[in-house]
Amino acid sequence: IPASREVAVGVALVALALVRPEGIALALFFAMTRATDDSAREGARRWRAMQVLSVGLATYFLWHRVRFGTWTPSAFRAKRSDSLLAELADGLRYLGDYAAGASAREGWERGFAVVAALSLLGLLIALPVLIARASRAARVLGSAAILSVLIVIAEGGDTYEGARLLAPALFLALWA
């Protein structure tokens, strides 16, 4: 694999990290997965995408600190509540609202939506065991989907309808 491709992957991961706060965790996850893949690259080239990501994020956060006086992105601070428990409750409610919206469109009762949301959460917890025999790519994408949902729950979801924050997780899960 040419070094320029590794640099391009690193630049793409920087772009992913700068789109939304949860993009940072996903970019780091993909970079670490890429760096620890023994089959594709040798030596220091394995870490090239991680190096580009690290330099890109360090540059961004230093600029952000100088420009805005804080290390955290504005989007992260704008929607925070006073307690972590409130964030988690909001995130779980967001996941439940997604399930309720999907079931309401099909005409199912609202009680089923709660069962569907809890089943989805159970599936997310059990997914690593379910994909243990899957290919490395499927495990990476499935794990990224779980990570994406957990980040959405931890940050409290959002107030827009349509579960836009769950779109990356759904895409990753389908791709896996």
Side-chain angles (χ1 to χ4, degrees):
I1 298 175
S4 61
R5 181 173 177 194
E6 292 301 316
V7 171
V9 168
V11 170
L13 291 174
V14 170
L16 170 63
L18 296 180
V19 171
R20 291 205 33 91
E22 64 269 15
I24 296 168
L26 289 173
L28 288 170
F29 175 80
F30 284 127
M32 282 302 298
T33 300
R34 194 167 179 81
T36 58
D37 183 5
D38 295 336
S39 64
R41 292 160 307 287
E42 53 207 39
R45 283 186 39 202
R46 272 201 241 171
W47 292 91
R48 183 90 20 96
M50 178 63 89
Q51 291 165 343
V52 172
L53 176 62
S54 298
V55 168
L57 288 180
T59 302
Y60 168 75
F61 282 115
L62 284 172
W63 169 82
H64 198 276
R65 174 78 173 144
V66 169
R67 177 73 174 98
F68 298 108
T70 182
W71 293 104
T72 56
S74 301
F76 184 75
R77 290 186 333 278
K79 298 178 184 177
R80 301 298 297 176
S81 51
D82 292 336
S83 79
L84 177 61
L85 289 177
E87 291 293 327
L88 293 174
D90 288 345
L92 289 171
R93 190 176 310 109
Y94 181 75
L95 191 62
D97 287 347
Y98 170 71
S103 65
R105 283 191 298 275
E106 298 297 322
W108 298 335
E109 299 207 11
R110 221 155 155 64
F112 183 78
V114 173
V115 173
L118 292 175
S119 299
L120 177 61
L121 188 59
L123 178 63
L124 289 173
I125 292 169
L127 197 56
V129 174
L130 296 174
I131 63 172
R133 294 182 174 222
S135 69
R136 178 177 168 83
R139 286 194 309 268
V140 167
L141 293 169
S143 298
I146 292 169
L147 177 63
S148 182
V149 170
L150 292 176
I151 291 168
V152 168
I153 290 171
E155 68 182 14
D158 81 48
T159 57
Y160 296 105
E161 291 186 23
R164 67 188 177 114
L165 297 182
L166 294 175
L170 296 172
F171 175 75
L172 290 166
L174 288 173
W175 197 13

